[in-house]
């Protein structure tokens, strides 16, 4: 907390100044070599880094092959990136018709636009919320077609397209549902409370894979003859419902941490329940729960890979089919490394973004 | 003391309407009997100070008036409306009864100005421009106008409490409740908050204050109510209350608190 008016007195002294070199030396000594044991660890780590980094770089980049048509073009001891570069369209767009790929690109662009949009402070919150509500619908329409666009069967969806689509739409729907579940669990109305508790506890006690199998097999039993829901839609719903249950618990924790004075002040000023929640309590709770919520978003993004088990080919599915394709046999290392890199880049970006958001909000506060 | 001369009852003299009427109020927390057969009538423009040892039920009593606490027995009517569990009526009462809390309870995610405008725009349906104008005039009154764009976390306790009072006043309340407004403040900040409250009293606001500031009670109150163990033990004008308390319990309380308080005032 900073005090707004700092009084200065005649006997105030400027803090002592040291040269930059001295400060650097002192911090190196303090952080890397504080005790003999820690100095030893620092040295071992340094040796490993010096030994390992050139080897890794050599395999990944310097001796690696990036151009060519088939496995035969891979010479030298380095990585063979050809299965990725040759099949990059398959990895990104799956079996989407070539003519319609622009639609996927627009959908990706719209999804990526969320980050800068949240970044810019001057934009009215209402526009952002509106964008986030409309975005999943627009994405669905772009990818699936209809209403002016050529329809594309969801059996053609595969690769990064599926991963991004499930991840982004899952996130956008899971948060509001999670909020409602959290409020439901704290509700004073017994029926709403019971339903929320049952739902959250059921979903949390069952592995996602089970839920996915249920979605792919069981739901069909309960639907009337002839009516089928797209398998893609079904796994999406499972992922949303699953993430929402976990988010509900995180948000509930945040709600419990709110000082009761905030509820009392809102009550005393005549705010209704929904206004209290949306204008006063939730903005504070969401701010406090950004780190765990983001962990769950990242978790959701990685959990989308489980859809492989019910026959939806996401980026992992494409990778697996590539490793077993006869012309690229024996290149698992490269393919799975690419897969790991893909997930790392996206998840790490999200994580950096969240820590930036946190700092921004702290600055706002004091 | 003469600086704060008792305001004359001009407006409320001709229309002595009842602001708060409490009849045989009972409240329990589990098995603990917190309020026992409380009856109290407050007329418009009256200033009541409620005091008593901690745990005597004084906070509970004023929190029943806007139903932050629910009573189980007895009747309670505010501004002519009886509190009977009807949500609409309760909401109406809450919008007409302002409250200031021991821990201020400002909304930390909103700027000072927004703290004062949001209740107006969202609960009174007042336009943004008008809300800002009114909020600034009240912030001016509590001498916090230059801090309008800061956040509560950047301000001292006394400043926050003055803003909290301004925020409550933004709802144009007819009654103000003060729940130990100075108890959480550093000593040098108490007077700035009391000044605001005295100013409000001089304006003819109906006030119920739970406070240990006996100097304030003597200067401003029309009646002092002393509570102990959930009961009203004594109820008298300040002159009589401080100079000639009737009940031995009051006498004991006053000797304890005034030994301390007299040094301050």
């Amino acid at each position: 907390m900073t005090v707004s008016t700092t009084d200065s007195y005649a006997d105030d002294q400027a803090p002592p100044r040291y040269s930059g070199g001295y400060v650097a030396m002192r911090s190196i000594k303090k952080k890397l070599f504080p005790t003999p044991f820690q100095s030893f660890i620092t040295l071992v780590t340094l040796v490993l880094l010096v030994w390992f980094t050139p080897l890794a770089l050599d395999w990944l980049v310097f001796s690696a092959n990036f151009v060519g048509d088939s496995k035969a073009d891979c010479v030298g001891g380095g990585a063979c990136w050809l299965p990725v570069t040759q099949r990059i369209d398959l990895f990104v767009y799956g079996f989407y018709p070539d003519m319609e790929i622009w639609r996927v690109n627009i959908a990706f662009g719209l999804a990526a636009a969320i980050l800068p949009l949240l970044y810019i402070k001057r934009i009215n919150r209402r526009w952002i919320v509106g964008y986030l509500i409309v975005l999943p619908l627009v994405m669905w329409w772009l990818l699936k077609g209809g209403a002016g666009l050529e329809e594309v069967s969801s059996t053609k969806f595969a690769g990064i397209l599926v991963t991004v689509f499930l991840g982004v739409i899952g996130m956008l729907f899971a948060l509001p549902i999670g909020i409602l579940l959290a409020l439901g669990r704290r509700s004073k109305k017994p029926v709403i409370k019971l339903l929320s508790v049952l739902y959250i506890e059921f979903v949390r006690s069952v592995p996602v894979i089970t839920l996915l199998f249920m979605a792919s097999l069981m739901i069909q039993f309960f639907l009337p003859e002839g009516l089928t829901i797209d398998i893609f839609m079904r796994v999406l719903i499972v992922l949303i419902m699953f993430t929402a249950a976990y988010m509900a618990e995180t948000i509930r924790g945040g709600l419990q941490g709110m000082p009761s004075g905030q509820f009392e002040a809102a009550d005393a000023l005549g705010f209704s329940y929904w206004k209290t929640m949306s204008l006063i309590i939730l903005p504070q709770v969401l701010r406090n729960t950004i780190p765990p919520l983001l962990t769950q978003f990242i978790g959701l993004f990685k959990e989308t890979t489980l859809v492989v088990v019910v026959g939806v080919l996401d980026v992992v599915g494409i990778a697996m089919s590539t490793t077993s394709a006869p012309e690229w046999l024996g290149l698992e290392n490269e393919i799975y490394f690419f897969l790991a890199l893909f997930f790392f880049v996206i998840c790490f970006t999200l994580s950096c973004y969240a820590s930036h958001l946190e700092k921004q909000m702290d600055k706002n506060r004091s | 003391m003469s600086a704060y001369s008792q305001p004359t009852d001009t407006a409320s003299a001709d229309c002595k309407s009842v602001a708060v009427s409490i009849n045989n109020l009972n409240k329990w927390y589990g098995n603990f009997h917190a309020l026992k057969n409380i009856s109290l009538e407050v007329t418009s423009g009256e200033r009541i100070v409620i005091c008593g040892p901690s745990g005597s039920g004084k906070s509970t009593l004023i929190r029943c008036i806007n139903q932050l606490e629910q009573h189980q027995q007895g009747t309670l009517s505010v501004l002519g409306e009886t509190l009977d569990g009807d949500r609409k009526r309760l909401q109406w009462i809450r919008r007409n009864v302002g409250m200031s809390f021991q821990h201020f309870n400002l909304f930390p995610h909103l700027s000072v100005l927004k703290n004062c405008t949001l209740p107006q725009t969202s609960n009174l349906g007042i336009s943004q421009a008008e809300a800002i104008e009114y909020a600034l005039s009240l912030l001016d009154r509590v001498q916090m106008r230059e801090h309008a764009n800061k956040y509560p976390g950047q301000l001292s306790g006394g400043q926050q409490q003055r803003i909290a009072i301004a925020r409550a006043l933004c709802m144009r309340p007819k009654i103000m409740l003060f729940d130990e407004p100075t108890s959480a403040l550093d000593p040098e900040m108490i007077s700035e908050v009391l000044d605001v409250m005295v100013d409000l009293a001089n304006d003819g606001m109906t006030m119920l204050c739970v406070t240990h500031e006996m100097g304030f009670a003597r200067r401003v109150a029309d009646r002092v109510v002393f509570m102990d163990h959930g009961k009203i033990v004594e109820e008298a004008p300040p002159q009589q209350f401080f100079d000639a308390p009737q009940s031995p319990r009051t006498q004991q309380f006053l000797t304890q608190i005034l030994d301390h308080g007299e040094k301050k005032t």
Side-chain angles (χ1 to χ4, degrees):
Chain A
M1 201 191 288
T2 50
V3 179
S4 53
T5 51
T6 39
D7 303 306
S8 57
Y9 295 97
D11 56 351
D12 280 359
Q13 285 180 359
R17 285 179 176 280
Y18 301 107
S19 72
Y22 174 78
V23 173
M25 280 306 290
R26 201 173 55 170
S27 94
I28 285 175
K29 185 171 185 312
K30 201 167 139 195
K31 286 178 180 149
L32 297 178
F33 302 99
T35 64
F37 178 66
Q38 294 194 37
S39 309
F40 172 71
I41 293 181
T42 303
L43 286 174
V44 169
T45 314
L46 270 177
V47 168
L48 284 176
L49 271 179
V50 168
W51 177 64
F52 182 75
T53 313
L55 284 179
L57 282 178
D58 186 57
W59 185 80
L60 288 170
V61 185
F62 299 126
S63 309
N65 293 281
F66 293 94
V67 275
D69 296 322
S70 69
K71 208 172 146 187
D73 293 326
C74 284
V75 285
C80 182
W81 296 116
L82 298 185
V84 177
T85 54
Q86 285 291 302
R87 298 184 124 207
I88 192 72
D89 280 353
L90 186 64
F91 268 100
V92 178
Y93 303 109
F95 312 109
Y96 214 79
D98 285 345
M99 292 297 292
E100 305 290 330
I101 273 176
W102 59 272
R103 281 155 55 177
V104 183
N105 288 332
I106 293 181
F108 281 166
L110 289 176
I114 297 175
L115 293 187
L117 206 60
L118 290 175
Y119 223 79
I120 304 166
K121 265 196 173 165
R122 266 165 296 172
I123 301 178
N124 193 322
R125 294 276 145 199
R126 273 177 217 175
W127 286 102
I128 294 175
V129 171
Y131 183 78
L132 295 180
I133 292 170
V134 173
L135 178 65
L137 304 174
V138 173
M139 277 179 86
W140 181 259
W141 171 65
L142 277 170
L143 294 176
K144 197 82 173 93
L149 290 176
E150 192 188 327
E151 278 212 38
V152 177
S153 159
S154 54
T155 51
K156 300 238 188 282
F157 293 1
I160 290 176
L161 154 65
V162 167
T163 306
V164 169
F165 186 69
L166 290 178
V168 171
I169 297 195
M171 286 176 199
L172 291 179
F173 277 108
L175 185 60
I177 296 175
I179 289 173
L180 288 179
L181 282 170
L183 294 179
R185 191 162 185 169
R186 280 174 58 90
S187 170
K188 291 197 185 90
K189 302 195 169 74
V191 178
I192 294 177
K193 182 175 178 150
L194 183 73
L195 287 176
S196 307
V197 171
L198 282 179
Y199 174 82
I200 292 170
E201 292 306 329
F202 169 73
V203 172
R204 287 206 308 165
S205 321
V206 176
V208 207
I209 291 213
T210 319
L211 292 171
L212 284 170
F213 277 125
M214 279 167 69
S216 76
L217 303 171
M218 249 169 69
I219 288 179
Q220 221 50 58
F221 284 134
F222 303 113
L223 290 176
E225 198 87 25
L227 180 73
T228 52
I229 302 179
D230 198 317
I231 175 74
F232 199 70
M233 189 70 117
R234 277 181 275 162
V235 296
L236 182 59
I237 291 171
V238 166
L239 287 171
I240 291 171
M241 293 323 235
F242 175 79
T243 312
Y246 277 85
M247 283 189 171
E249 286 302 277
T250 306
I251 292 165
R252 184 168 72 102
L255 283 171
Q256 271 161 352
M258 282 301 288
S260 60
Q262 292 288 307
F263 292 92
E264 287 173 1
D267 278 348
L269 288 164
F271 283 93
S272 67
Y273 174 81
W274 288 107
K275 279 181 175 167
T276 303
M277 286 303 166
S278 63
L279 298 173
I280 292 159
I281 304 300
L282 285 173
Q284 297 185 60
V285 167
L286 291 180
R287 180 213 311 258
N288 295 340
T289 48
I290 280 176
L293 282 180
L294 211 96
T295 309
Q296 274 159 2
F297 277 144
I298 291 172
L300 168 69
F301 194 74
K302 292 183 292 178
E303 253 142 34
T304 57
T305 56
L306 287 172
V307 298
V308 157
V309 301
V310 292
V312 174
L313 278 180
D314 72 332
V315 64
V316 176
I318 296 290
M320 283 163 72
S321 78
T322 305
T323 56
S324 53
E327 65 267 37
W328 303 113
L329 271 182
L331 296 174
E332 289 89 351
N333 288 344
E334 287 85 344
I335 291 165
Y336 284 119
F337 185 86
F338 168 73
L339 206 55
L341 189 70
F342 165 73
F343 278 103
F344 176 78
V345 167
I346 293 199
C347 296
F348 187 64
T349 310
L350 283 178
S351 170
C352 290
Y353 181 70
S355 66
H356 166 81
L357 216 58
E358 252 180 280
K359 277 187 206 130
Q360 198 73 34
M361 285 170 164
D362 276 349
K363 230 189 285 169
N364 239 347
R365 215 169 194 180
S366 55
Chain B
M1 204 182 277
S2 57
Y4 306 109
S5 59
Q6 290 262 334
T8 44
D9 284 344
T10 45
S12 51
D14 38 63
C15 53
K16 281 257 182 204
S17 58
V18 176
V20 180
S21 162
I22 301 169
N23 242 313
N24 288 320
L25 200 73
N26 276 288
K27 162 144 190 86
W28 289 265
Y29 291 110
N31 283 328
F32 177 67
H33 201 166
L35 294 177
K36 301 170 187 161
N37 281 320
I38 302 280
S39 294
L40 183 70
E41 192 141 298
V42 183
T43 50
S44 285
E46 216 181 352
R47 295 166 293 273
I48 309 281
V49 165
I50 304 171
C51 59
S54 64
S56 59
K58 50 196 194 305
S59 282
T60 309
L61 177 62
I62 72 162
R63 288 157 66 91
C64 279
I65 292 171
N66 64 357
Q67 293 284 286
L68 292 183
E69 303 285 352
Q70 264 114 43
H71 57 282
Q72 282 107 351
Q73 252 178 36
T75 56
L76 177 55
S77 70
V78 181
L79 297 166
E81 301 284 337
T82 306
L83 282 159
D84 52 6
D86 182 87
R87 289 296 302 179
K88 280 255 154 59
R89 199 165 299 158
L90 173 59
Q91 215 69 293
W92 182 87
I93 288 172
R94 281 177 171 171
R95 285 170 190 176
N96 282 287
V97 178
M99 186 162 197
S100 111
F101 299 88
Q102 184 176 1
H103 296 288
F104 336 128
N105 299 348
L106 290 173
F107 304 131
H109 63 302
L110 301 177
S111 70
V112 166
L113 184 61
K114 194 91 193 165
N115 260 284
C116 295
T117 56
L118 185 67
Q120 299 183 64
T121 52
S122 131
N123 302 341
L124 295 178
I126 284 169
S127 76
Q128 187 75 22
E130 198 186 326
I132 290 177
E133 194 185 330
Y134 192 60
L136 285 175
S137 75
L138 285 172
L139 287 173
D140 219 9
R141 186 170 171 187
V142 300
Q143 283 155 30
M144 289 300 295
R145 193 185 178 125
E146 72 258 45
H147 300 289
N149 291 318
K150 291 188 178 160
Y151 284 81
Q154 296 168 295
L155 301 168
S156 74
Q159 291 174 319
Q160 289 192 50
Q161 190 61 289
R162 284 186 279 152
I163 291 161
I165 293 172
R167 179 180 69 175
L169 291 176
C170 277
M171 295 293 288
R172 292 110 169 123
K174 300 187 173 63
I175 303 172
M176 276 293 290
L177 309 175
F178 293 88
D179 188 1
E180 307 208 20
T182 55
S183 303
L185 297 178
D186 288 339
E188 73 255 42
M189 290 169 184
I190 290 177
S191 68
E192 66 187 53
V193 171
L194 289 182
D195 284 347
V196 169
M197 290 168 66
V198 169
D199 175 47
L200 207 54
N202 288 334
D203 226 35
M205 175 66 79
T206 312
M207 291 164 71
L208 281 93
C209 316
V210 171
T211 182
H212 295 295
E213 295 300 322
M214 291 301 130
F216 172 79
R218 210 189 257 276
R219 285 196 312 252
V220 172
D222 294 318
R223 246 191 304 163
V224 180
V225 173
F226 176 69
M227 288 182 70
D228 192 25
H229 288 110
K231 280 189 280 215
I232 293 182
V233 177
E234 190 157 352
E235 194 183 330
Q239 202 77 29
Q240 186 190 330
F241 181 84
F242 290 109
D243 299 339
Q246 304 294 307
S247 127
R249 182 69 189 91
T250 317
Q251 289 161 7
Q252 184 198 353
F253 175 77
L254 283 175
T255 44
Q256 275 168 351
I257 200 161
L258 288 183
D259 279 351
H260 249 53
E262 216 70 300
K263 283 170 203 154
K264 257 191 288 183
T265 42

